[in-house]
Amino acid sequence: MLKLIVPKPATLKLDRRQLIKAGGSFALIAGISRSPLLAAPLGANPFALGVAAGDPWPDGFVIWTRLAPRPLDEHGGMPAAHVPVRWEVAEDQGFARVVRKGEATALPELAHSVHVEVDGLLPHRRYWYRFATAGSDLSPVGTARTAPLAGALVDRLRIGVGGCQHYEMGYYDAWKHLAAEPDLDLIFHYGDYIYEDAAMPLGPQGKRNNVRQHAGDEIYSIDDYRRRYAQYKSDPDLQAAHAACAFAASFDDHEIDNNWASDFDQDGTDPAIFALRRYAALQAWYEHMPVRKAQFPIAGGLTAYRRLDFGRLMRMHVLDTRSYRSDQPCGDNGGKSACPPEAHMQPDMLGKTQEAWLDEGLGNDAAWNLLAQQVIVMPIDLRPADAEEPRHGTDLWDGYRPARERLIASVRRHGLSNVVIATGDHHKHMAGAVPADDDRLDGEKVAVEFLSTSITSGGNGVGTAGLEHIVRNNPQIDLYADQRGYQLFEITPKLWKTDIKVLDRVDRTGGKLSTLASYTVEPGRPALHRS
């Protein structure tokens, strides 16, 4: 039985005069298209997947939507036609002071998604945005804040971090709570926005407990991926988070296939065949994320890595740790069995071009540098409590030690003591510091790393029970906990504060939110302090 939460359709049928009276300025322009969609509403809510904003710059941000009146139907219930979509941005939630407006075309080639790179806005200021079809269907309202001007002195930023949102394993109360956090500037989604696996039965399935079901089998084609995104984005709590704040979205492995690396999937598929799946998946990712044309998919993939600057306070380096890496060592065993240290020497995690780009970007005078990426950077011994020999995950930077050495060398060459790393993928909360030397875990540190847990993946979790040995075996770590939730970064010129938020459950709605721990970091010293 498929259990799917879809927002109740709420089509607004307003004529021109009503729209103008309401403060909207969506002109019903004739002659743009011969599609009958121009003359009348689509008959069901075409904005069933919500709205989103992303990648703020000082003069604007991206706004996104996708027309899909029946999200799980073929093509989202849309005909094969070009559809004009009006958009506007205002200084107030009631749209009495509209400052930018225009029209975009929703194309069937891009699943009727719309990406508008809004410019001409004032820096470091909140705006509201919405869309409408020419037939007067009106979208929900979203809000986003522009970035500060380059060189501007900024007192504070607030950033949320979340990801790994397996639809079947829980409800999205974490997104609901994050949407309600006050005064957020940005949410970093580190990846695993969707999961590619087939529907599993409801109820306990070994170590997991499925409370919802995927639609369909494992996904391979562009239509498969589009349908899976539509199912995930139909969730009202995820929609609320997107509407509440701009996202900086990246991807990890499950947007394509578990633990994929460059040309290689987990099943040993011929790379030429896997390339077809990867291209389809990355096009679907672009279609559903509020990203810029610089992330448009081209032959061979897309460029996901990019920088976001927030005045002189922070430079954010959004990294891609999947597309250019070498294949994992030891057959990608994920730390399930011993992989000898001499095998953990795969050369590339970021690839040469991205690595050089990052090295250049670290040469700046911002108070903070945030490396926003996917997998654990620091060395970490993940051996079970009863094992004697260390075990290191091969999908993490631990499997790519030459690449980690070069990253550390870059940080030290630039003389930086203000690097914070935001990490995901591992379905745990972790707080620690990256050692300069793998063999001296309690020695000099070069950066602080905060691993944010999953939104739902892994189910309710066990807290720290049975995981105490991880902290004992890793002196560079102060906290390691198996609970769902997210993290909040509050950043000022003199202090970085991280709040680690956890939910008591995700197998039922109404999970209670609490703060598991809080840490502070000073820009001149890469070390954690409990606060």
Side-chain angles (χ1 to χ4, degrees):
M1 177 180 177
L2 177 66
K3 189 173 183 182
L4 170 65
I5 297 175
V6 179
K8 182 179 179 181
T11 303
L12 300 180
K13 300 182 179 181
L14 305 178
D15 63 20
R16 178 186 174 93
R17 181 175 299 175
Q18 286 174 306
L19 280 171
I20 294 173
K21 286 177 66 177
S25 57
F26 295 101
L28 306 184
I29 301 174
I32 299 173
S33 167
R34 294 183 180 180
S35 168
L37 296 172
L38 187 64
L42 297 179
N45 175 19
F47 300 105
L49 302 183
V51 299
D55 284 13
W57 289 358
D59 67 340
F61 38 73
V62 180
I63 57 174
W64 170 95
T65 194
R66 178 192 166 193
L67 304 182
R70 296 184 300 278
L72 296 189
D73 285 5
E74 186 177 19
H75 309 306
M78 290 291 294
H82 292 196
V83 181
V85 178
R86 302 291 294 173
W87 59 269
E88 60 183 3
V89 176
E91 293 179 336
D92 67 302
Q93 193 169 3
F95 289 83
R97 300 186 301 278
V98 173
V99 294
R100 298 285 283 133
K101 60 183 179 179
E103 183 176 272
T105 303
L107 302 173
E109 293 93 334
L110 293 174
H112 290 100
S113 63
V114 175
H115 297 73
V116 178
E117 295 188 14
V118 182
D119 58 13
L121 304 181
L122 296 176
H124 209 202
R125 182 163 180 171
R126 182 168 298 283
Y127 292 90
W128 288 260
Y129 63 92
R130 63 184 177 185
F131 300 87
T133 66
S136 72
D137 298 290
L138 197 62
S139 80
V141 173
T143 184
R145 179 177 285 148
T146 53
L149 279 173
L153 298 176
V154 183
D155 293 335
R156 188 184 73 156
L157 290 173
R158 280 174 56 81
I159 298 177
V161 182
C164 288
Q165 52 194 50
H166 199 298
Y167 184 85
E168 295 189 325
M169 293 189 188
Y171 295 100
Y172 289 167
D173 287 271
W175 285 127
K176 178 175 66 176
H177 287 292
L178 191 48
E181 292 284 355
D183 208 27
L184 285 179
D185 292 275
L186 190 72
I187 292 173
F188 169 51
H189 195 297
Y190 57 72
D192 290 347
Y193 196 100
I194 61 168
Y195 280 71
E196 81 285 6
D197 47 332
M200 294 279 286
L202 293 172
Q205 306 294 322
K207 293 183 178 181
R208 58 188 276 183
N209 177 34
N210 292 332
V211 298
R212 306 191 283 188
Q213 281 184 299
H214 281 152
D217 295 325
E218 184 164 347
I219 53 179
Y220 290 92
S221 72
I222 182 69
D223 289 332
D224 292 341
Y225 282 100
R226 287 169 172 168
R227 187 184 191 206
R228 188 60 55 85
Y229 275 103
Q231 182 174 25
Y232 276 57
K233 293 181 82 71
S234 294
D235 187 281
D237 293 329
L238 178 56
Q239 289 188 17
H242 274 296
C245 182
F247 273 50
S250 189
F251 55 77
D252 193 25
D253 52 339
H254 290 288
E255 284 86 352
I256 301 178
D257 184 46
N258 179 54
N259 283 6
W260 72 279
S262 185
D263 296 330
F264 310 101
D265 71 357
Q266 68 171 348
D267 302 314
T269 303
D270 184 322
I273 301 300
F274 176 59
L276 301 176
R277 182 184 189 184
R278 186 178 69 225
Y279 187 86
L282 289 177
Q283 178 177 333
W285 177 85
Y286 171 82
E287 291 170 348
H288 292 86
M289 294 297 111
V291 292
R292 295 180 179 271
K293 292 183 180 69
Q295 279 66 64
F296 191 86
I298 59 174
L302 58 81
T303 302
Y305 60 88
R306 57 209 190 270
R307 294 188 191 103
L308 296 172
D309 285 320
F310 295 85
R312 292 173 59 185
L313 181 57
M314 188 187 76
R315 168 165 284 184
M316 182 177 185
H317 313 260
V318 181
L319 305 183
D320 174 359
T321 61
R322 288 289 166 189
S323 299
Y324 314 104
R325 64 157 77 183
S326 311
D327 199 9
Q328 296 96 339
C330 294
D332 183 23
N333 67 28
K336 297 180 179 65
S337 60
C339 181
E342 60 271 17
H344 287 253
M345 299 299 287
Q346 292 295 76
D348 290 310
M349 174 63 83
L350 302 178
K352 293 179 175 57
T353 300
Q354 183 180 190
E355 194 172 287
W357 167 88
L358 176 59
D359 181 68
E360 178 187 18
L362 288 173
N364 64 76
D365 60 358
W368 296 96
N369 280 273
L370 172 60
L371 304 189
Q373 53 98 60
Q374 290 74 46
V375 294
I376 297 173
V377 173
M378 69 174 64
I380 179 170
D381 181 356
L382 295 171
R383 79 180 88 171
D386 58 353
E388 295 183 4
E389 295 296 323
R391 292 187 189 175
H392 296 271
T394 56
D395 189 55
L396 314 179
W397 284 76
D398 254 341
Y400 300 78
R401 296 186 182 186
R404 183 167 62 203
E405 289 174 4
R406 294 193 301 272
L407 175 63
I408 291 171
S410 178
V411 171
R412 300 179 82 175
R413 181 167 57 254
H414 288 290
L416 298 177
S417 57
N418 61 359
V419 175
V420 175
I421 303 171
T423 296
D425 181 68
H426 194 62
H427 307 169
K428 305 288 190 297
H429 273 310
M430 185 185 75
V434 179
D437 186 341
D438 287 359
D439 296 324
R440 297 182 60 239
L441 299 182
D442 56 353
E444 177 192 357
K445 306 299 191 297
V446 297
V448 167
E449 183 169 9
F450 293 108
L451 165 69
S452 184
T453 192
S454 57
I455 296 293
T456 54
S457 303
N460 289 338
V462 297
T464 58
L467 298 174
E468 299 87 351
H469 65 285
I470 298 291
V471 176
R472 288 197 305 270
N473 292 336
N474 292 276
Q476 76 282 15
I477 294 174
D478 188 73
L479 179 143
Y480 188 83
D482 175 24
Q483 288 171 275
R484 310 289 73 80
Y486 56 91
Q487 293 186 0
L488 280 177
F489 299 158
E490 183 162 322
I491 307 159
T492 68
K494 299 296 184 183
L495 200 68
W496 181 296
K497 183 184 179 187
T498 295
D499 289 330
I500 295 178
K501 300 287 189 175
V502 295
L503 289 171
D504 64 341
R505 66 171 190 262
V506 295
D507 61 350
R508 291 173 291 147
T509 58
K512 183 180 178 182
L513 185 74
S514 61
T515 301
L516 178 64
S518 295
Y519 291 93
T520 59
V521 185
E522 299 169 1
R525 184 167 174 256
L528 293 172
H529 304 278
R530 285 250 187 177
S531 61

